[in-house]
DNA sequence: TGGAGAGATCGACGGCTATCGATGGAATGC
DNA sequence: GCATTCCATCGATAGCCGTCGATCTCTCCA
């Protein structure tokens, strides 16, 4: 053990310093990545911010009006948020109202609390 | 104003329910999106998890050994984390040791605390 | 000084994604 | 019934991204 002074570098065998450890479960990682991918877009992150701050469900037409983007693009982004389980939709007549999902995982909820 | 009972839908003019609000500053959104993009990948998220749990800096060769990916790909992922300001690198001889950035924004730190 | 190993960079390729215009389906109102 | 409006979906396109092999740079050591 008295290997001091030889060098400040750790002992190592070819190509590996220490046995690698994979601390996170694969399924957890994929689940987190799905949510992160959904949030890693300026439009969608702002959508989530608006929904989180709104007490009432928001008509998707308001997003179409707010975000200088075409209606299909807005619909596409909201679908991404839907597929990630971040928002719920309710139809009322010809209108679609979106709100933050009521059944969010605690971890996801905490994520949104930090972000927006 | 006594428009009650006519319908449960809100009043609206053509195409817009309520004046749209943009609650988040544009710069903040872009900054968050950059970090989210860096984390929205299974390999990189696991890298961050390993670094966050490690008291010592980790040699990048360990990641190359751990993640069934080529050496250039591992280097590419670590560069992404570097560019996002999430990790610091220190060279020691021919080896490169990575660790979680010491000067993380509180918001980013909180994000990592939730994620990993 | 020259060989060997570690890691970053380059160039290329395939797949994913953001965006749009066009279309379709459903509900409303005339 | 029919036109209108809202919204989702489709098809196409351009740009970004993850991945790899090849190469380059740097350091160490014999």
């Amino acid at each position: 053990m008295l290997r001091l002074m030889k060098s400040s570098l750790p002992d190592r065998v070819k190509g590996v310093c220490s046995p690698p450890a994979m601390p996170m479960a694969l399924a957890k990682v994929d689940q987190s990545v799905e949510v992160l991918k959904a949030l890693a877009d300026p439009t969608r992150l702002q959508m989530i911010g608006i929904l989180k701050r709104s007490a009432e469900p928001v008509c998707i037409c308001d997003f179409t009006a707010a975000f200088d983007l075409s209606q299909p693009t807005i619909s596409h982004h909201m679908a991404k948020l839907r597929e990630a389980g971040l928002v719920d939709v309710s139809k009322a007549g010809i209108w679609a109202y979106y709100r933050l999902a009521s059944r969010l995982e605690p971890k996801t909820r905490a994520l949104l609390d930090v972000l927006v």
Side-chain angles (χ1 to χ4, degrees), chain A:
Chain A
M1 6 240 62
L2 272 182
R3 214 86 67 91
L4 309 176
M5 294 302 100
K6 186 185 176 188
S7 131
S8 64
L9 298 180
D11 296 331
R12 45 163 61 228
V13 294
K14 171 150 159 30
V16 176
C17 291
S18 55
M22 304 282 272
M24 307 172 70
L26 250 290
K28 277 286 178 191
V29 169
D30 287 341
Q31 183 180 342
S32 296
V33 165
E34 189 195 0
V35 173
L36 288 170
K37 277 200 164 96
L39 295 173
D41 176 279
T43 304
R44 293 198 290 268
L45 189 58
Q46 287 187 84
M47 283 172 159
I48 288 291
I50 291 173
L51 291 180
K52 185 156 185 295
R53 285 168 165 79
S54 170
E56 308 289 326
V58 178
C59 176
I60 198 174
C61 61
D62 292 335
F63 292 107
T64 306
F67 286 105
D68 199 37
L69 289 172
S70 71
Q71 178 266 322
T73 300
I74 297 294
S75 187
H76 158 78
H77 282 307
M78 203 57 95
K80 285 267 186 183
L81 295 176
R82 233 189 305 126
E83 289 156 18
L86 292 173
V87 301
D88 291 336
V89 60
S90 59
K91 298 289 190 65
I94 58 174
W95 298 298
Y97 289 87
Y98 281 85
R99 61 187 177 287
L100 220 58
S102 50
R103 293 291 199 191
L104 279 180
E105 294 228 356
K107 205 166 159 176
T108 308
R109 172 82 59 179
L111 201 67
L112 297 187
D113 284 340
V114 171
L115 278 172
V116 298

